[in-house]
């Protein structure tokens, strides 16, 4: 039986979803819990990786279980073995052809910016930006990123050359919050570092350090060296994966 | 010159305000920063201690400085030397007779309760309680704690026998929040563990494990062994000290 799990985690203490050399990955911790429950090695497949310090409200993974039990019981059994900063939110039964990565249709990432730099509770959960930032200009610049593009310019140099770098962004929305704002990105998928690099570039526009049109120029270069900006991992949240 | 400082901190990573054996206290970190700025040993005096893992939004301390500079500059100089989870919010010049502990007239502590036990971001910042909790009953029971009483029953056994244990609580307010609530305690001062022990006792009432009247009975015993409940330090915030 294939089980689909939705998991929420505070990424602060982890090297990211995947195991790193000398550092613990979230995947590893979840697999250990499932292996204990199933009494045989269980591997999980996520919708995609999240980097070190990046958070998730709705990361999705699947696993093929030998032990069957009602979904709610599975949820409690896994949570009982997980640390408090990783919580299974939902467990669902799926058909055999369900695949957390290949079946994913849309993803939503939020990037959280705060004006409240004297707040000691936020540095692991937001990027601090000046409250003078020009959000209208950021909105204007973000329009260049909407639609279907080759996003090579907004990707890590460690990217796999063989993978397609054409993605579709359907939504970039700015939501004002108490002492800050969040940028909501929705699309068919995102390259490694893409959301953070796009955000950092938009923040440069908002700080009047570059012009709106430079976002378009960077995008059109399709060059991994074109964008020099990368926002803090702490502000990034994988919010939702749709199937 | 006496400077009064308001400081906010995430207590998660600290042994409390005061240095403990083999553990770092917040006071120590602030004194180290001030000593560096003043180029001679500086000691700070707080409005009171906070225990390990307890947070502060508005703890107050004072220090006697040899180096004089505008308050805003002092704030930036100290913050530049502090870790991100300790932030000086305000620096003010005071008269020589100002004393952060002895001049304090009122304190406000908030205790934060959350229904959202699957939220991996909250376990260091709130106490998880069931959403079936009877808040009306808690409000009713809290009335016994209002006013001037000997709060020995709601204090640590490690309390100093010589210190007065009569305190006045002027406000106990329940504020509903998204997926939880906070209890606001205001008073002339609080004994060690008092807010956490009062909260834990009220939570027992809310869970229908004890009757409202038992709060009164515990209080009237004036016995350090009378209350067996103590709420998680993570939910407690020193919000404000008034002078």
């Amino acid at each position: 039986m294939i089980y689909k799990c939705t998991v929420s985690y505070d990424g602060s203490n982890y090297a990211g979803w995947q195991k790193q050399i000398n550092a613990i990955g979230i995947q590893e911790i979840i697999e250990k819990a499932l292996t204990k429950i199933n009494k045989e090695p269980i591997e999980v497949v996520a919708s995609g990786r999240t980097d070190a310090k990046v958070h998730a409200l709705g990361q999705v993974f699947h696993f093929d279980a030998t032990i069957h039990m009602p979904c709610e019981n599975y949820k409690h059994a896994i949570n009982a073995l997980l640390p408090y900063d990783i919580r299974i939110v939902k467990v669902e039964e799926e058909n055999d052809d369900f695949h957390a990565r290949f079946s994913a249709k849309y993803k939503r990432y939020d990037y959280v910016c705060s004006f409240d730099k004297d707040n000691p509770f936020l540095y692991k959960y937001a990027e601090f930006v000046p409250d003078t930032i020009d959000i209208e200009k950021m909105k204007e610049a973000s329009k260049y990123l909407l639609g279907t593009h080759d996003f090579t310019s907004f990707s890590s140099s460690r990217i796999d050359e063989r993978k397609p770098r054409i993605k579709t962004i359907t939504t970039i929305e700015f939501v004002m919050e108490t002492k800050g704002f969040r940028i909501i990105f929705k699309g068919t998928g995102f390259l490694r570092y893409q959301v953070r690099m796009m955000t950092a570039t938009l923040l440069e526009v908002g700080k009047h350090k570059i012009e709106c049109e430079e976002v378009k120029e960077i995008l059109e270069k399709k060059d991994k060296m074109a964008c020099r900006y990368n926002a803090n991992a702490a502000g990034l949240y994988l919010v939702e994966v749709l199937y």
Side-chain angles (χ1 to χ4, degrees), chain A residues 94-136:
Chain A
E94 283 289 345
N95 294 329
D96 278 352
D97 60 352
F98 179 83
H99 191 282
R101 181 146 60 99
F102 300 138
S103 312
K105 289 206 165 53
Y106 279 94
K107 277 189 186 178
R108 169 179 164 183
Y109 275 99
D110 284 10
Y111 197 91
V112 176
C113 295
S114 171
F115 304 143
D116 197 12
K117 70 175 169 44
D118 287 339
N119 187 328
F121 299 95
L122 289 181
Y123 73 102
K124 287 187 281 188
Y125 306 108
E127 170 90 318
F128 292 117
V129 300
D131 60 3
T132 51
I133 200 153
D134 189 340
I135 292 176
E136 289 311 310

Side-chain angles (χ1 to χ4, degrees), chain A residues 107-111 142 145 169-174 182-187 190 194-200 202 236-237 239-240:
Chain A
K107 277 189 186 178
R108 169 179 164 183
Y109 275 99
D110 284 10
Y111 197 91
S142 73
L145 301 170
I169 299 184
T170 55
T171 304
I172 303 178
E173 196 183 337
F174 291 75
R182 68 177 59 222
I183 317 176
I184 299 172
F185 295 91
K186 291 181 193 171
F190 297 90
Q194 188 183 337
V195 178
R196 287 162 61 188
M197 292 176 82
M198 292 191 303
T199 299
L202 294 176
L236 187 61
Y237 295 75
V239 175
E240 197 178 21

